[in-house]
């Protein structure tokens, strides 16, 4: 009963804070601002996501990462950076809405592209995805497919770099920039 009430309140909060978005399909090469949301499950997933984050930053883009750890506190290996923030259950209000200063800044940013790298149905990430002002949202999480502008079906559970390459190819095709 309490879980149903929490879900209902979170759903109401999402509906209340859902911004108007002007959707725009843009290729990965054209993006200047990218937001990434993800779940960090262990140190290996952190390293893999941080590697992808660094690659995207190296192409003269503004990239901002928000990672969720489904535990009581953020582990020692998740290093906070200027544009990489991590949060845990401690940063959620009683019905599951994430609440910390850096998230408000993230949600107010008009990203060209928002990439969701999560794989599970996590209400805090669902809230972020639904209330972001990003021009285009992309992801492969089957639980959140209704919130994406472009949903990539990922039955093989590809690593993040391969998934990014698939996203890149789709965006090239959709913008008409594909070579063949």
């Amino acid at each position: 009963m309490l879980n149903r009430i929490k879900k209902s309140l979170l759903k109401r909060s999402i509906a209340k804070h859902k911004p108007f978005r002007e959707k725009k399909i843009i290729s990965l090469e054209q993006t200047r601002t990218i937001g990434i949301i993800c779940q960090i499950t262990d140190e290996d997933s952190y390293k893999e996501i941080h590697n992808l984050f660094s690659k995207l930053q190296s192409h003269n883009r503004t990239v901002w990462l928000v990672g969720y750890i489904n535990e009581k506190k953020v582990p020692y290996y998740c290093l906070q950076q200027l544009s990489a923030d991590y949060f845990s259950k401690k940063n959620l209000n009683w019905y599951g809405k994430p609440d910390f200063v850096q998230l408000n800044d993230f949600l107010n940013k008009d990203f060209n592209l928002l990439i969701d790298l999560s794989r599970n149905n996590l209400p805090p990430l669902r809230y972020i995805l639904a209330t972001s002002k990003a021009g285009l949202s992309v992801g492969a999480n089957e639980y959140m497919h209704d919130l994406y502008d472009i949903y990539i079906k990922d039955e093989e559970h590809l690593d993040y770099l391969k998934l990014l390459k698939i996203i890149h190819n789709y965006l090239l095709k959709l913008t008409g920039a594909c070579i063949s």
Side-chain angles (χ1 to χ4, degrees):
M1 178 69 166
L2 186 59
N3 283 338
R4 251 189 308 175
I5 293 170
K6 287 180 179 182
K7 283 182 184 178
S8 174
L9 287 171
L10 186 62
K11 202 180 262 189
R12 189 179 302 165
S13 181
I14 287 172
K16 181 180 175 185
H17 294 99
K18 193 169 188 158
F20 171 76
R21 296 184 319 126
E22 192 172 319
K23 299 173 186 170
K24 183 180 178 190
I25 295 178
I26 187 169
S27 71
L28 203 53
E29 283 113 8
Q30 295 172 324
T31 57
R32 292 292 136 231
T33 57
I34 300 174
I36 300 173
I37 60 173
C38 63
Q39 178 187 12
I40 306 293
T41 54
D42 56 18
E43 195 167 356
D44 290 336
S45 71
Y46 168 78
K47 287 177 182 175
E48 191 177 356
I49 288 170
H50 190 71
N51 181 33
L52 177 73
F53 171 70
S54 298
K55 277 189 191 314
L56 287 171
Q57 276 187 322
S58 68
H59 292 285
N60 204 18
R61 296 182 185 100
T62 302
V63 183
W64 196 338
L65 171 74
V66 172
Y68 175 64
I69 295 91
N70 198 16
E71 295 177 18
K72 287 188 179 190
K73 61 181 191 172
V74 176
Y76 69 92
Y77 52 80
C78 291
L79 303 173
Q80 299 279 356
Q81 296 177 10
L82 188 59
S83 60
D85 298 300
Y86 304 95
F87 69 105
S88 64
K89 289 180 179 180
K90 184 176 90 172
N91 302 102
L92 305 179
N93 68 12
W94 72 273
Y95 58 86
K97 176 185 165 192
D99 188 23
F100 59 102
V101 175
Q102 296 90 337
L103 179 64
N104 295 331
D105 295 339
F106 183 87
L107 292 175
N108 287 324
K109 183 97 167 126
D110 292 325
F111 294 109
N112 297 130
L113 179 64
L114 178 66
I115 302 172
D116 177 20
L117 297 175
S118 67
R119 305 260 192 227
N120 300 312
N121 189 12
L122 299 164
L125 293 182
R126 187 171 185 77
Y127 177 85
I128 295 169
L129 190 60
T131 57
S132 169
K133 295 179 181 178
L136 183 68
S137 62
V138 180
N141 187 336
E142 64 182 306
Y143 301 107
M144 298 195 216
H145 72 277
D146 58 319
L147 298 173
Y148 299 135
D149 299 318
I150 300 174
Y151 169 62
I152 309 293
K153 193 164 184 158
D154 179 22
E155 294 172 344
E156 300 171 26
H157 294 290
L158 299 169
D159 66 56
Y160 299 120
L161 200 53
K162 288 180 184 172
L163 182 60
L164 184 66
K165 287 180 183 173
I166 290 172
I167 290 170
H168 174 66
N169 288 338
Y170 271 103
L171 293 177
L172 281 176
K173 289 177 184 176
L174 289 172
T175 57
C178 189
I179 298 170
S180 62

